[in-house]
Amino acid sequence: MTQPDSPKRRSVSFRLARLLLQVTGAALSFLLLLAVTLTIFGLKAKTALPAIADGAFGGWQYGHLYALSETFVEAVPLILTGLGVLVAWQAGMFSIGGEGQLLIGALAAMTVYRFTGSLPAPMVTLLMIAASVAGGALWGGIAGWLRTARNVQEVISTIMLNYIALYLVGAAVLGPLQEPSHSGPETALLPDPVLFAHILPATWTGGITARLHTGVLIALAAVPITAVWLYRTRSGFALRLTGHNADAARTAGFSIARVRITAMIFSGALCGLAGSVQLLGVSARLDQQFSPGWGYSAIPVALMGGLTPGGTLLSAIFFGALTAGTNSAERTVGVPSVVADVLLAAAVIAVVGFRAWRGRSQLATGGD
Amino acid sequence: MTASFRYRVGLLVSSACIMVVAGCGRSNAPAKAASGAPGQQAAGKPYKVALILSGSGTDHGWNQDAVEAVHDVQTALSLPASSISIKEQAVSPSQQQDNLRAYAGQGYNLIIGHGEEYQAPALHMAPQFPNSLFVISSGDKMAANVTPIVFKLEDGAYLLGMLAGGMSRTGKIAEVGAQEIAPVRSVFSAFALGAKAVNPNITILHPVYTNDWEDIGKATQATQPLIQQGADVIIQDLDSASQGVFNAVQQASTAAHPVYALGTNNNQNSAAPGVVLASAPINCSPVFVSIAKQAEAGTFKPTDTPYGLPQGVIGYIENPALASRIPASLQARIDAAEQAIKSGKLVVPMKTQ
């Protein structure tokens, strides 16, 4: 992960100061953007901003731990799907399929539950997680195979596979997986022993159980594992090389087809895992609206994170905080929660635009 | 470190992590003792009412009606605006559960989950929040502090069926629904019953489902073949997508061969004034206000008694622009049936399965 020495290497203190300046600038412009967006929605930034901060970090109506728990609960699916996206994109596979892979993961887990529900609870949970990983990997692998064997662009095939997954879930929750009374288009709630445990004792969060669940450990563990694979193994190197320059990778003796399929399988597995983590951690039931677009938000999250595992972790937590904050501010002061979506999109445009501008200025000055 | 060593460590770490996570199941927090009746006003604390919607509060339908009804509750109980909170677009199960829990945790007295999808989560978490009353629109199960509101749309659908049976010239009528779920099937069976009461020989085409509450185009495409098969009065249960049925009917209807549509859930007569004969709207306001008043006073008991035409929660409204086309004899029969339902002489069956 070390940078190659550039011709004009600046001193550490200069680089540190520059980084600080950039972060402060980004934070300030984000706050400005947030305030402007709120004003457009006809809200007073003076009341809305503290309400959003309260929902994300606590300190006013909520305790800090409760609010931070919400932030991480919202961040967990974004971390896993964000990692999935960056693995595929680093391999040069512009997969939009996180959403479908996530849904297939949840569907596979729910199907396994249907058949193994009578086994001991930890075993059922384990099988459900395994099924979701396998389901997501299969869904990603299909897109990878279509690209390598049939030259179907993954941008198209993954979007189509998203729809297939969505309608498969729709058919399942009106058919074999529907709740016993057959009145709603949804599965029954999973029983408590199967679900992920809540981490924080209720007494720490004012007597109300915070939603933070053990799935956050899976998400946090996935970050270093992905990082080590990408940057410290031969196949990770092959993956990144293929993404940068497929011809060079081929010349170096790597099988491009194999690398691409592997990347899509790994990416799908992570997104599928996100499906079972959400199912077992927060939703406890499956229906067609299971995902509010986690698999799609993953793309801006990964882009904001610079397509690196560490960056994706930070940007997922950032958007988790924003989502938790606006969700809560809608309840307390009536901020529409779509503000989070508007800001997510605006932030991505800002980041991508900044990169492009910096890339051009670097070309012009010939260095970092 | 060799690469294969790293793979093994990665595999070990991830499987250990997943094993630990899978090994700890969730335990439901124990129930607390209630202070007073569920939903009752606590001494010295403001009375707070929350409404959670799975869609937009301005949908001219199911959700908007609930928003208006909650504002009626605010007026009826003379509450300040800060006592009312509305969460819109709680689309996914995780958002629905998060909001139920958050409102209950903030001590809201009355929490209305506007749809059957809130029932299972509310029943599950209700024991932890014994001081809150959870109200589930279209629910069917009760608990100490969970009450369903059973909307008997069947009352209105029966009258719409009588109207359809009497107005059809081809002897064929049709049904378009979004999803083949119990409430929709039940409405359609009441509709068929009403139609057969007027014309025993009427043909009711097999119901068509679009699997979409929002997509107007799909609703249009589903309706067109039904009209081609000869259906000339069409009922729909589609919420936001119902305009698609109206569009298809408007295109097909001519002076020589009129085709009609019927409105449900809301007064949709003005959505297509030339073709919508009548609507059976749901009006949440009387039931929300009644539950809130009783709950505030501490006298409310959960009940699964259906709210229908007799309670003024379900209506039957003919389109004034088309009323002149309804024959007097048919009108008299419909009016008589409406009175019979209101007085309890005629009970329209609810098909629950």
Side-chain angles (χ1 to χ4, degrees):
Chain A
M1 269 186 281
T2 47
Q3 297 284 326
D5 279 5
S6 60
K8 278 190 272 173
R9 186 141 185 118
R10 258 71 174 248
S11 73
V12 176
S13 57
F14 175 82
R15 287 154 67 92
L16 201 68
R18 194 177 57 179
L19 183 74
L20 266 177
L21 201 70
Q22 280 173 356
V23 169
T24 323
L28 281 178
S29 34
F30 174 76
L31 274 179
L32 188 71
L33 186 70
L34 191 56
V36 169
T37 315
L38 290 168
T39 317
I40 293 172
F41 276 93
L43 291 148
K44 285 202 185 73
K46 230 168 87 182
T47 53
L49 284 177
I52 293 176
D54 178 49
F57 309 110
W60 176 38
Q61 293 210 351
Y62 294 99
H64 290 295
L65 268 179
Y66 187 90
L68 284 172
S69 146
E70 283 300 309
T71 291
F72 274 89
V73 165
E74 296 294 343
V76 162
L78 299 179
I79 296 172
L80 286 171
T81 52
L83 290 174
V85 165
L86 86 87
V87 167
W89 285 42
Q90 283 232 6
M93 295 289 284
F94 297 104
S95 164
I96 320 286
E99 185 79 358
Q101 292 149 8
L102 181 144
L103 287 172
I104 284 293
L107 179 62
M110 208 67 206
T111 311
V112 162
Y113 172 74
R114 181 85 167 66
F115 291 107
T116 62
S118 51
L119 294 175
M123 191 104 88
V124 177
T125 310
L126 212 58
L127 287 172
M128 287 174 77
I129 295 173
S132 71
V133 170
L138 171 75
W139 224 239
I142 294 174
W145 176 81
L146 280 172
R147 170 67 196 271
T148 52
R150 294 284 179 271
N151 202 23
V152 179
Q153 292 303 307
E154 69 280 358
V155 174
I156 308 293
S157 64
T158 49
I159 292 176
M160 295 298 146
L161 285 164
N162 286 347
Y163 281 104
I164 297 176
L166 181 66
Y167 291 123
L168 274 178
V169 169
V173 297
L174 274 171
L177 297 181
Q178 196 178 19
E179 42 87 32
S181 76
H182 294 286
S183 59
E186 63 217 357
T187 66
L189 287 182
L190 290 167
D192 281 327
V194 173
L195 301 178
F196 291 158
H198 288 131
I199 296 178
L200 303 171
T203 44
W204 293 9
T205 47
I208 296 147
T209 316
R211 292 196 302 158
L212 189 65
H213 52 86
T214 45
V216 72
L217 303 177
I218 296 183
L220 291 178
V223 177
I225 291 174
T226 310
V228 168
W229 178 48
L230 280 182
Y231 297 100
R232 288 280 181 275
T233 68
R234 188 173 177 272
S235 64
F237 173 72
L239 186 145
R240 287 183 296 126
L241 182 60
T242 306
H244 277 294
N245 187 337
D247 291 333
R250 198 177 293 115
T251 315
F254 293 116
S255 156
I256 305 301
R258 218 180 123 181
V259 167
R260 283 180 172 156
I261 293 182
T262 312
M264 284 307 292
I265 287 177
F266 198 89
S267 164
L270 279 167
C271 295
L273 177 64
S276 67
V277 165
Q278 288 309 95
L279 187 67
L280 293 163
V282 294
S283 300
R285 76 159 22 151
L286 184 62
D287 70 9
Q288 234 184 333
Q289 284 80 41
F290 174 74
S291 164
W294 291 310
Y296 294 119
S297 305
I299 297 166
V301 164
L303 281 176
M304 276 268 293
L307 293 181
T308 62
T312 301
L313 172 68
L314 292 180
S315 93
I317 293 173
F318 173 73
F319 282 110
L322 194 60
T323 311
T326 46
N327 277 347
S328 153
E330 183 178 14
R331 288 190 294 261
T332 50
V333 297
V335 174
S337 55
V338 288
V339 167
D341 301 333
V342 174
L343 289 171
L344 181 70
V348 171
I349 294 174
V351 167
V352 173
F354 181 70
R355 285 253 169 78
W357 169 75
R358 231 179 68 163
R360 278 175 62 174
S361 66
Q362 270 172 28
L363 277 182
T365 57
D368 182 26
Chain B
M1 285 202 294
T2 62
S4 70
F5 176 73
R6 287 194 198 105
Y7 284 127
R8 266 180 240 156
V9 169
L11 205 63
L12 202 70
V13 169
S14 44
S15 44
C17 172
I18 288 175
M19 295 289 253
V20 168
V21 170
C24 325
R26 182 174 296 178
S27 57
N28 205 0
K32 280 187 244 166
S35 55
Q40 191 178 0
Q41 166 97 58
K45 288 202 177 151
Y47 198 74
K48 294 203 283 187
V49 180
L51 171 68
I52 313 172
L53 304 171
S54 301
S56 156
T58 52
D59 65 351
H60 298 281
W62 172 246
N63 292 311
Q64 187 167 346
D65 181 47
V67 171
E68 286 159 11
V70 159
H71 287 129
D72 290 344
V73 168
Q74 186 190 343
T75 317
L77 271 58
S78 0
L79 301 173
S82 60
S83 279
I84 303 284
S85 179
I86 297 172
K87 163 70 196 174
E88 293 178 42
Q89 304 280 15
V91 185
S92 67
S94 63
Q95 290 167 330
Q96 290 155 5
Q97 289 167 40
D98 167 34
N99 282 289
L100 282 174
R101 181 177 290 280
Y103 279 128
Q106 287 171 13
Y108 275 74
N109 305 75
L110 198 62
I111 300 161
I112 304 168
H114 199 51
E116 172 277 338
E117 60 271 28
Y118 295 91
Q119 176 161 278
L123 286 169
H124 186 253
M125 71 178 71
Q128 290 176 49
F129 303 102
N131 294 325
S132 296
L133 176 63
F134 295 87
V135 179
I136 311 299
S137 306
S138 287
D140 58 2
K141 293 192 182 70
M142 292 184 289
N145 57 334
V146 181
T147 189
I149 301 178
V150 182
F151 293 108
K152 202 179 172 193
L153 191 55
E154 288 81 352
D155 283 353
Y158 182 86
L159 298 176
L160 291 178
M162 292 181 71
L163 182 64
M167 291 298 286
S168 173
R169 298 183 185 189
T170 57
K172 284 183 187 168
I173 57 178
E175 305 159 330
V176 184
Q179 279 182 313
E180 194 176 356
I181 52 178
V184 177
R185 281 204 304 263
S186 180
V187 163
F188 286 171
S189 76
F191 172 76
L193 217 59
K196 289 200 168 134
V198 172
N199 177 0
N201 298 321
I202 194 112
T203 306
I204 298 140
L205 298 181
H206 197 268
V208 175
Y209 295 96
T210 62
N211 273 317
D212 206 315
W213 296 96
E214 316 262 321
D215 194 325
I216 293 173
K218 272 188 200 164
T220 306
Q221 284 169 14
T223 310
Q224 281 160 344
L226 295 170
I227 298 174
Q228 276 163 16
Q229 288 170 51
D232 61 353
V233 186
I234 297 168
I235 190 175
Q236 47 71 32
D237 195 344
L238 281 167
D239 272 357
S240 310
S242 48
Q243 189 64 41
V245 173
F246 302 153
N247 291 350
V249 170
Q250 270 174 330
Q251 280 165 19
S253 185
T254 59
H257 177 71
V259 184
Y260 298 113
L262 300 167
T264 56
N265 297 313
N266 259 79
N267 185 350
Q268 296 177 314
N269 292 346
S270 57
V275 294
V276 180
L277 269 178
S279 294
I282 294 177
N283 180 12
C284 294
S285 189
V287 48
F288 279 16
V289 170
S290 141
I291 291 177
K293 275 188 173 163
Q294 293 178 54
E296 188 191 29
T299 58
F300 183 77
K301 292 267 183 304
T303 168
D304 60 0
T305 314
Y307 296 87
L309 213 54
Q311 292 82 9
V313 174
I314 303 298
Y316 170 78
I317 304 170
E318 287 173 357
N319 183 358
L322 297 176
S324 59
R325 299 197 192 175
I326 303 172
S329 59
L330 176 63
Q331 188 67 59
R333 289 188 68 176
I334 294 174
D335 290 345
E338 188 174 357
Q339 284 314 312
I341 294 174
K342 277 187 181 162
S343 66
K345 268 189 222 150
L346 173 61
V347 178
V348 181
M350 293 178 78
K351 203 170 124 187
T352 46
Q353 273 297 312

